[in-house]
Structures are given as structure tokens and as C-alpha cells.
Amino acid sequence: MKSKIMEPVLLIVEDDDVIRKTLSEVFAKKGLKVLSADKGRDALEFVKAHKIDVTLLDLKLPDMNGLTILKNMHEVDDSIMAIVVTAYPEVKTAISAMKAGAYDYINKPFELEELKLLVDKALETKRLKSEVEILRREKGDECVFLQTVGSSYKFKAVMELVKTMAQTPKTSALIQGETGTGKELIANAIHCLSDRKGGPFIKLNCSAIPDNLLEAEMFGYEKGAFTDAKQSKKGLFELADGGTIFLDEIGDMDIKLQPKFLQVLENQTFRRVGGIRDMHVDVRVVAATNKNLASMVREKSFREDLYYRLKVMVIDIPPLRERREDVMPLAEYFIRLNSKSFGEGIKKLSTECRDILLKYSWPGNVRELKNIIERAMILAHTDRILPEHLPRELVDEISISVPSYHETNPVNTTLEEVEKAHVMRVVNSVKGNISQASRILGIARQHLRKKLQKYSLSS
Ligand SMILES: Nc1ncnc2c1ncn2[C@@H]1O[C@H](COP(=O)(O)OP(=O)(O)OP(=O)(O)O)[C@@H](O)[C@H]1O
Ligand SMILES: [Mg+2]
């Protein structure tokens, strides 16, 4: 996505000095950036060094045949729109030019107005093509329904909510979760499971675009809305019409832009920057954040009305450490995925490895697990993944936080001693709160009191 608004670039290739200079002036006045060459070789140098949108290409040049230039240009950049200028109305030349990939042709002598119209048309076609390209890319990447893996009841509850949401095509949603929990994946699932799946799925990361450009990116702009707005442009809301827009990191949206966003959520209408016409779109908005919006509201960096509007449908994705049953299915899923892309057999996790993965705290959540599995598969040269293939900090964290059974309990320990040590640990961990400790231990309070008396721990 372009983050800077740039003027279109026109390359004039013409050996007649008067025509070249006149056309250069005319189109520069129209707001285009104009480059000009009087030889084919120079023209090709420009094509290599600049991003050209449209070229006016004279077919008769001193050093090269125009059709050869056209072919060479397209080898460098096949999106250049070429308008071929033929010296006389010879149908054959025009046809060969079109066959060679020219966008259109014009005969000399031509009316300036006719040429201007042709250039405008070429620019508009190019713009539409690139919009379609964006859509294709977005759809191609995202509408492949990415598999969601998870068997914990917490993750299943998330998926139930996703399915319910998918059936209400207009409801917007706010997805909350720590980094790497799968917010984008869930947004994709909402789109792909809904009737909107045939429409576009457009992503926008609010923190990736400078505040002053975000409004134009979201809502588009009219020609002349600001200095750089040489032509009008659709925003992502218009491009997402009929589909879903995923606004990531919504907590980073400039507070000044929030009322306009709230308005689209409420009635699906907005105006382009500098526009006077209300635009209506049919778009589902899915927003995501890993920030605490409630505290941002308290600090007045997020609007309260927008927060309550978004809160109508919240999907909370729990961190991985709170749904450890998902760790193994996910790890095995990532092993299968990598085996496929590495073109090798499926590796197995050793028991020690499983143990470590199950106990680790996963601050980076599913993304961290995915990366760790990929790394381990690269490091493991046999079909087994061992603890030595896991990052050091993982193994360290486990050995520090959970001393192994063997370390804490030598073989001659009695059951009573083990129980006493465990009860003590639990009671200490809740600072002597009997109700809490009895809940953790799964025994009645009186029962715990008796044990404490027995072990003389009641004080
Ligand atoms: N339940 C899941 N099943 C399969 N893959 C998952 C699951 N959850 C997350 N992933 C994968 O983990 C990676 C991270 O997920 P995603 O990008 O959706 O997280 P996120 O919450 O948007 O992260 P961030 O806050 O950093 O943007 C992706 O490759 C995603 O496909
Ligand atoms: Mg994300």
C-alpha cells in the first residue's frame, strides 16, 4: 500500500523537439511529473530508473524501432500504459502496436484535447487496474480459509462466537487478545464463514500509517482536497464494499479521526476527504486491539462513545497459557505445516520437549509457538525434536519455575512428607488464605484445617 501520495509519471518519447517540449509543458501544467527522451535508449534508461505510469511513444525514432522499445519497456515494467503515436494514419502500424501491448494509439497530427483525454483515460485505467490488483491480492491471501486449531473449551467458545457472528453480516466486532493470540486469524474466520466471503477482505493496520494519512487511506479523497491530491482516490472503506474491513490496532487510531469512524459504524456512510457527497457502503467492520481500551477511555486517549459502540460484540481470545490443552494440537499442526513446506517427513516431539512446551508461559502466544516449532524443525537433523532444539530461555524458565519431581523428592520421601510440602507451598502461595488454598487443593476447608493442625502448620 502506498503511504505517500505521488503524482502520476508520464514519459514522452519523441524526437521532434517542438512537439516534445510543447507536450512536456502541457502535461506538467496538468499536474503530472513529466520525463522526456528523444531517443529509444534514453527512454529505456528512464524506465529502469523511474516508476512510469504512462508513456507517449513515437514509433519513428532515430536509434530504435518504437515497437522494440515498447517490448523492452514492458520487460522492465509491464504495467506501463503506452500510447503509441504514429506519423501517418496507417492501420497496420497501429494494429502491430496494439498487438505488442500498447494501451492505445493516436495519429499525427492530433488534437491536443484528444491526446489529453487519452492520457486521462490511460491513467484512470491504470488506477482501476491497481485497485483490482489490491483486491485480488487481499482476497487471494486471505480468503483461503486458514485453519483454526484448538480443542480447549475456551478456544471452542471463541469459535462458537465466530460462527454466530458470521451469520449476522452487518454486526461489527472487536477482537481483543495479547499479541500472537490469533486476532487476525479470527477476523479472517469471521469473513470466510460469512456470506461476505465472496467479497473483499481488506486489512488496515492503524498504527502503520501516519495519523495525517490515515483518514485519506480509510475514506479516500477528492481531487484538490490537499496539495498532493491531483486526482480523486477511493479509500479502503469503498474498496471493501460488499466485504469485510479489518482494522488492526484500533487503539492507535488518532482520537480526532474516531468520530468519523464511529459514524461509519453507525450508519455506513462517510465522506471522502474534501468531499461533499455522502458515500454509502456495505461493509462489516472487524477491529482488533491488544491494548486495554477501557483504560485508554479513562485516560481520554480513546473515545468513550466509540468504545461502547465497539463493545457491543467483543471476542476475547485467551492467552495460550490459559488454554494449555491447545499447545499440543497447535504444535503438531505447525509440525505438519512445516513438513509440507520443507518437503520432509513428520518429526516427533520427545516426551521432555512436550513437557517443556506444556509448562512454558508463552508470552508471545501462538505466534511464539509457531516460530519455536519452525526453528526446532530446522535444527533437528533426525526425526525427533529434543529439548536442545528449543531456545535456551524456554528450558531455563521451566527449570527455574518448576523444580522437577526428582529434585524435590528423593526416593526415600514418604507420602506424608510430600503432602506436607505441597500443602505448605500452596498455603504460602495464597498468603495463608484458607478458602483459596482449599479450593486449589480440592479439599474442604475443615479438612485443610485438620491437616494444618496435624502438621503443626496452623499458626
Ligand atoms: N488457533 C490457531 N490455529 C492455527 N494457527 C493460529 C491460531 N492462532 C494463531 N495462529 C497463527 O499464529 C500466528 C499469529 O496469529 P495472528 O497474526 O492472527 O495474531 P495476532 O493476535 O493478530 O497478533 P498481533 O497482536 O501480534 O498482531 C499466525 O501465523 C496465525 O495463523
Ligand atoms: Mg495481528
Side-chain angles (χ1 to χ4, degrees):
M1 197 177 303
K2 274 186 199 166
S3 58
K4 258 180 82 184
I5 300 145
M6 288 184 292
E7 68 257 76
V9 182
L10 173 72
L11 170 63
I12 301 175
V13 192
E14 168 66 70
D15 60 337
D16 182 319
D17 288 345
V18 178
I19 299 184
R20 195 179 60 251
K21 284 183 184 141
T22 316
L23 292 182
S24 297
E25 273 168 29
V26 167
F27 284 103
K29 257 195 209 138
K30 259 180 80 72
L32 276 74
K33 177 174 174 184
V34 180
L35 303 169
S36 67
D38 58 357
K39 286 191 210 65
R41 221 182 22 233
D42 297 347
L44 290 176
E45 287 307 312
F46 274 133
V47 169
K48 284 179 199 149
H50 299 266
K51 179 93 188 110
I52 312 285
D53 292 303
V54 177
T55 182
L56 289 179
L57 178 61
D58 187 3
L59 281 188
K60 287 230 162 100
L61 288 161
D63 63 335
M64 276 166 106
N65 170 304
L67 292 185
T68 314
I69 301 176
L70 181 60
K71 198 168 144 272
N72 289 339
M73 277 184 176
H74 278 170
E75 269 166 21
V76 180
D77 178 359
D78 65 1
S79 74
I80 298 176
M81 309 291 281
I83 299 170
V84 158
V85 186
T86 51
Y88 34 80
E90 202 198 301
V91 179
K92 256 196 197 155
T93 331
I95 291 177
S96 327
M98 299 298 281
K99 274 193 183 156
Y103 165 70
D104 212 334
Y105 67 93
I106 191 163
N107 293 316
K108 266 188 200 168
F110 46 76
E111 291 285 331
L112 198 51
E113 283 312 307
E114 193 190 349
L115 183 64
K116 279 189 191 165
L117 275 179
L118 212 50
V119 170
D120 281 347
K121 219 173 83 196
L123 283 171
E124 178 63 8
T125 308
K126 170 138 190 181
R127 197 174 63 80
L128 289 175
K129 267 190 178 173
S130 70
E131 275 175 10
V132 169
E133 186 53 36
I134 293 177
L135 289 181
R136 267 211 201 108
R137 208 173 51 228
E138 302 277 355
K139 274 174 76 177
D141 286 353
E142 317 305 335
C143 228
V144 186
F145 180 52
L146 301 164
Q147 203 180 331
T148 50
V149 177
S151 50
S152 65
Y153 78 92
K154 285 188 178 172
F155 189 72
K156 283 188 183 153
V158 167
M159 287 311 292
E160 278 310 309
L161 203 53
V162 166
K163 283 178 202 146
T164 313
M165 269 228 55
Q167 281 156 20
T168 55
K170 294 226 186 273
T171 315
S172 52
L174 174 66
I175 306 176
Q176 298 182 144
E178 289 179 8
T179 179
T181 43
K183 296 184 290 296
E184 189 169 332
L185 183 81
I186 291 300
N188 170 71
I190 293 174
H191 176 69
C192 288
L193 292 173
S194 76
D195 282 348
R196 294 180 177 272
K197 62 177 177 289
F201 178 81
I202 304 269
K203 284 188 299 189
L204 174 65
N205 186 335
C206 299
S207 71
I209 297 182
D211 285 346
N212 56 340
L213 294 181
L214 188 58
E215 184 178 4
E217 198 66 42
M218 284 173 74
F219 302 110
Y221 52 84
E222 295 294 351
K223 185 173 166 179
F226 39 87
T227 334
D228 280 338
K230 299 285 188 317
Q231 352 173 213
S232 59
K233 184 175 177 262
K234 284 185 181 178
L236 295 180
F237 265 92
E238 275 174 82
L239 291 178
D241 200 14
T244 307
I245 190 163
F246 173 51
L247 295 174
D248 207 356
E249 315 244 10
I250 193 76
D252 288 336
M253 181 184 282
D254 187 7
I255 195 148
K256 291 203 280 303
L257 187 54
Q258 291 177 14
K260 188 160 177 176
F261 174 50
L262 178 62
Q263 195 203 330
V264 197
L265 281 179
E266 306 240 282
N267 50 29
Q268 307 250 307
T269 58
F270 61 90
R271 282 183 188 180
R272 287 182 179 173
V273 177
I276 47 167
R277 195 157 56 93
D278 280 337
M279 300 279 187
H280 186 84
V281 282
D282 170 27
V283 174
R284 185 212 294 271
V285 177
V286 178
T289 182
N290 53 21
K291 293 205 169 142
N292 185 337
L293 292 187
S295 62
M296 289 184 71
V297 168
R298 281 193 296 275
E299 289 156 12
K300 306 230 177 306
S301 54
F302 201 85
R303 281 182 71 106
E304 194 172 8
D305 48 5
L306 177 56
Y307 174 62
Y308 284 111
R309 181 64 185 74
L310 286 170
K311 254 186 71 131
V312 171
M313 178 55 88
V314 173
I315 301 182
D316 273 311
I317 314 182
L320 194 51
R321 65 183 170 281
E322 286 177 17
R323 45 181 174 111
R324 290 183 191 270
E325 305 93 297
D326 292 341
V327 171
M328 276 308 131
L330 279 165
E332 277 155 10
Y333 166 67
F334 292 133
I335 290 179
R336 282 197 304 277
L337 270 190
N338 287 323
S339 302
K340 237 190 210 167
S341 67
F342 297 169
E344 56 183 38
I346 292 180
K347 293 190 195 309
K348 282 211 153 39
L349 290 160
S350 72
T351 316
E352 297 91 319
C353 256
R354 288 170 168 265
D355 216 35
I356 294 169
L357 296 185
L358 283 172
K359 285 176 181 157
Y360 181 58
S361 61
W362 299 112
N365 294 293
V366 184
R367 181 180 298 108
E368 186 181 15
L369 174 60
K370 187 178 178 198
N371 294 341
I372 281 174
I373 292 291
E374 183 177 335
R375 176 182 182 276
M377 287 180 73
I378 293 168
L379 294 179
H381 294 298
T382 67
D383 65 350
R384 287 186 82 70
I385 301 175
L386 305 169
E388 68 207 58
H389 303 131
L390 300 176
R392 190 70 242 155
E393 67 269 19
L394 229 85
V395 185
D396 284 352
E397 185 192 289
I398 303 308
S399 46
I400 291 164
S401 63
V402 191
S404 87
Y405 175 79
H406 301 288
E407 277 164 2
T408 44
N409 303 300
V411 269
N412 56 356
T413 319
T414 64
L415 207 51
E416 202 176 276
E417 280 170 322
V418 174
E419 186 184 86
K420 182 178 166 183
H422 185 61
V423 168
M424 220 160 86
R425 223 176 118 208
V426 172
V427 173
N428 282 339
S429 76
V430 293
K431 302 198 170 61
N433 183 323
I434 300 297
S435 309
Q436 242 181 310
S438 58
R439 248 198 320 275
I440 295 174
L441 291 164
I443 55 175
R445 269 188 307 186
Q446 300 92 305
H447 195 165
L448 174 59
R449 282 218 178 84
K450 269 194 199 143
K451 280 189 189 296
L452 292 175
Q453 275 159 12
K454 183 174 156 201
Y455 302 141
S456 322
L457 294 169
S458 46
S459 59

